[in-house]
Amino acid sequence: MKNHEFRQLLGFILFWFALGMLFMIFVPNNFAGVLLAGAMLLTGYWLFSD
């Protein structure tokens, strides 16, 4: 992986990480947030490893 591609991938990851952090401000309880984060982690892993 070239340096430019790595920087683009890192920027993409950081963008969605920050968007997720902002979204969690509006989730009313912590349990729903943990379930949502777990579901997104599993989905991301499934899509990445496919």
Side-chain angles (χ1 to χ4, degrees):
M1 187 177 260
K2 295 186 171 107
N3 190 27
H4 180 69
E5 292 172 347
F6 180 73
R7 289 181 61 196
Q8 283 184 322
L9 180 62
L10 188 59
F12 185 74
I13 291 168
L14 289 174
F15 173 80
W16 287 107
F17 182 75
L19 194 66
M21 290 176 69
L22 287 173
F23 179 74
M24 288 302 293
I25 291 171
F26 301 109
V27 173
N29 72 30
N30 289 334
F31 185 68
V34 170
L35 285 179
L36 186 62
M40 294 300 119
L41 281 170
L42 288 174
T43 303
Y45 178 75
W46 177 67
L47 289 172
F48 180 74
S49 64
D50 190 25

